[in-house]
Amino acid sequence: MIIRKPRSLALATAALIAGGAALTLVPAGAAQAKASPKGDFAVTVNGTTYNPAEGKDVKLKDLAVAGPIAVRGKHVGFDVNPSTLGVYNYTLTGAADPERMVTEPTVVFASKVPVLTPAQIGTVKIDRLEVKDDDATIILSAAGGKMKFQAKDFAQGGIFQQEPEFGSNVEIVHTLGPKLFYFVNEFTGKINFGDGKDPVTTAQSSTGYHEMLLGKDSPQVATKLYQDGSVTRWSVTSGGRLGGVLGEDAIELSQGATNCTSKCQAQNQIHGSLPVPPLPTDPTPIPVPAN
């Protein structure tokens, strides 16, 4: 996980890059959520809402589930549908925060859905669910395997990942929200997603800063199968993952995650800071590939 750097250092680094200064890269992996004000996750299962007191947690195991699981936080919210093992309406709330990127609720991903057969899904139950202030873990057990979801209730950073364990590759389809699009970053040459809006960072109001909405898919042991301006299809190895990274972590000049499917956090750790290039200026959607 990436150890966060102060924003002042990130801005100074961006200035160095713009000026052509040389910078040394260090190995990188999955990003960590920023140290924003504490989140407040609540998870609703079978009509019951679990919202632990500050500093406490709630744990559930081996629970039959009927209907979508609603995850709602201060900064993010989404639903998990046991009938598809997919995530729907992953949303930034726009709550006041020094690191926020939107000022109103904004759907970042309309869906993150695995392509599985009815036989692979079968009867689904909650294998394990754990809720803390700013952290939620949900593991669903299906007929053919398991799907793990991990989320952080922060305004940006590495705040979501989805991990299939089905003994073979699982295709997962990412569909962006209606206001967002994938584009090629002019400074990094890599694919980001965003809404194309200029940031408002020069003045701080009583409700906090508004930064440019930027993100990227963060795969580990996964192969991209398709890409256009709103959809990406990934083939994910069992034990691999698809992460979601928002904010400056989405554009910093890292080398990406290692090819690892078990106990990967420690070897993906960074003990310093990474260069952050300037913000993209006029992003345009990736076109639909010609047939």
Side-chain angles (χ1 to χ4, degrees), residues 100-103 197-201 203 208-213:
R100 72 176 180 170
M101 296 179 291
V102 296
T103 55
K197 294 181 180 179
D198 291 331
V200 180
T201 57
Y209 283 106
H210 169 212
E211 300 186 3
M212 175 180 273
L213 173 53

Side-chain angles (χ1 to χ4, degrees), residues 56-266:
K56 303 294 184 180
D57 62 22
V58 171
K59 297 179 181 179
L60 303 175
K61 291 184 178 182
D62 298 322
L63 179 67
V65 58
I69 300 167
V71 181
R72 299 291 183 268
K74 177 182 177 182
H75 303 289
V76 302
F78 58 93
D79 296 323
V80 176
N81 192 332
S83 68
T84 62
L85 302 185
V87 171
Y88 298 85
N89 295 318
Y90 183 91
T91 301
L92 290 175
T93 68
D97 185 276
E99 306 292 352
R100 72 176 180 170
M101 296 179 291
V102 296
T103 55
E104 61 184 10
T106 301
V107 177
V108 178
F109 283 95
S111 60
K112 298 169 175 267
V113 183
V115 179
L116 296 168
T117 66
Q120 286 176 302
I121 295 174
T123 300
V124 176
K125 69 175 182 179
I126 293 175
D127 186 69
R128 180 168 69 89
L129 184 151
E130 184 172 353
V131 187
K132 301 178 182 178
D133 291 331
D134 51 27
D135 185 274
T137 298
I138 302 170
I139 301 176
L140 297 182
S141 178
K146 295 182 179 182
M147 189 71 74
K148 181 178 181 180
F149 308 90
Q150 292 180 284
K152 296 284 188 180
D153 189 20
F154 288 98
Q156 58 174 280
I159 58 178
F160 183 88
Q161 66 182 39
Q162 185 173 358
E163 305 172 28
E165 293 185 13
F166 277 78
S168 60
N169 284 22
V170 172
E171 182 177 329
I172 297 180
V173 181
H174 281 183
T175 303
L176 292 175
K179 296 182 180 180
L180 277 73
F181 55 87
Y182 287 105
F183 64 93
V184 178
N185 189 308
E186 63 194 291
F187 296 108
T188 66
K190 297 182 179 181
I191 294 176
N192 287 119
F193 58 77
D195 59 4
K197 294 181 180 179
D198 291 331
V200 180
T201 57
T202 56
Q204 185 180 29
S205 68
S206 60
T207 56
Y209 283 106
H210 169 212
E211 300 186 3
M212 175 180 273
L213 173 53
L214 282 171
K216 71 173 182 179
D217 292 333
S218 179
Q220 187 165 30
V221 202
T223 301
K224 186 184 294 183
L225 303 176
Y226 175 87
Q227 175 79 72
D228 67 20
S230 61
V231 174
T232 308
R233 304 175 76 95
W234 297 91
S235 177
V236 186
T237 299
S238 184
R241 56 102 168 130
L242 282 180
V245 182
L246 299 174
E248 71 180 38
D249 287 345
I251 59 172
E252 65 186 1
L253 301 178
S254 70
Q255 295 179 0
T258 58
N259 190 37
C260 172
T261 59
S262 178
K263 300 180 180 179
C264 305
Q265 274 189 345

